[in-house]
Amino acid sequence: MGIIMGSSSDWGTMEHAARTLQDLGVAHETRVVSAHRTPDLLFKYALEAESRGIEVIIAGAGGAAHLPGMTASKTVLPVLGVPVESKALHGLDSLLSIAQMPGGVPVGTLAIGKAGAINAALLAAAILGAKHAEIREALRSFRSRQTARVLESPNPAAGAVRLEQADTAGAKRVPKNAKRKSA
Ligand code: RP5
């Protein structure tokens, strides 16, 4: 699996893809490959990926995010795009740049930011899972653990109850004359 990104500034987002793959035990590499600043490297990476044994490419980029689309144009491997949240437009520019590919060269586009990076890794694992049974089982186990975590903590107010108990122990957080919010 290859995880590429347009800038080292994208790492804060893309590390979530890398961590998720690590949790699943999926071998991967991470590289900065910029569509605008290192276009020759981008072509080389995309052209050689298949012969190097890469099976899916996750590409994250922000702003005028050409990296996923240009990578997809130079390989027939599946390319999953992660729109990195930009400062100016909060990632909407990245999302549209990645999602709105013309017909003929697809990029599987995920959500903006951390959720997209995590889901890109999970979707990439699902794609690989069709061929590699151990990855499919790792994914199944990830889902079971996630479900168990939710079922183990059904009451979202449990934390609030603990806070109330702390208050009665001495530290009042809300002044007595404060108005209560209606439900
Ligand atoms: C894009 O430009 C990168 O993917 C990054 O999200 C954005 C800004 O890059 P830096 O100026 O922080 O290197 O190519």
Side-chain angles (χ1 to χ4, degrees):
M1 187 96 71
I3 301 178
I4 57 176
M5 60 212 81
S7 167
S8 54
S9 68
D10 296 329
W11 177 242
T13 299
M14 298 310 292
E15 68 177 327
H16 296 287
R19 274 193 210 167
T20 304
L21 290 179
Q22 202 169 332
D23 287 351
L24 295 171
V26 177
H28 59 279
E29 64 178 22
T30 53
R31 298 267 189 287
V32 171
V33 178
S34 168
H36 307 108
R37 294 168 180 154
T38 64
D40 295 340
L41 173 63
L42 158 59
F43 272 37
K44 183 173 156 54
Y45 187 92
L47 285 170
E48 292 177 356
E50 194 177 337
S51 61
R52 290 178 53 233
I54 289 174
E55 293 179 83
V56 180
I57 297 173
I58 296 173
H66 295 123
L67 179 65
M70 286 307 297
T71 302
S73 77
K74 298 298 281 182
T75 180
V76 293
L77 294 175
V79 176
L80 304 181
V82 178
V84 171
E85 189 171 339
S86 56
K87 285 202 183 91
L89 297 173
H90 310 293
L92 188 58
D93 42 358
S94 326
L95 175 67
L96 296 178
S97 303
I98 296 173
Q100 290 301 110
M101 287 295 286
V105 181
V107 171
T109 308
L110 286 301
I112 297 169
K114 178 180 171 182
I118 292 170
N119 282 346
L122 295 173
L123 185 54
I127 293 168
L128 287 184
K131 178 178 165 195
H132 304 281
E134 71 281 8
I135 296 179
R136 191 162 65 240
E137 292 317 310
L139 200 49
R140 210 187 303 280
S141 154
F142 171 92
R143 289 284 189 92
S144 304
R145 283 181 276 125
Q146 180 169 251
T147 300
R149 271 200 308 277
V150 175
L151 293 176
E152 275 162 19
S153 309
N155 182 4
V161 170
R162 278 198 295 279
L163 278 180
E164 270 174 28
Q165 285 163 353
D167 283 348
T168 52
K172 288 273 183 226
R173 286 162 191 264
V174 185
K176 272 186 175 171
N177 57 356
K179 280 185 182 166
R180 278 184 183 277
K181 272 189 184 171
S182 55

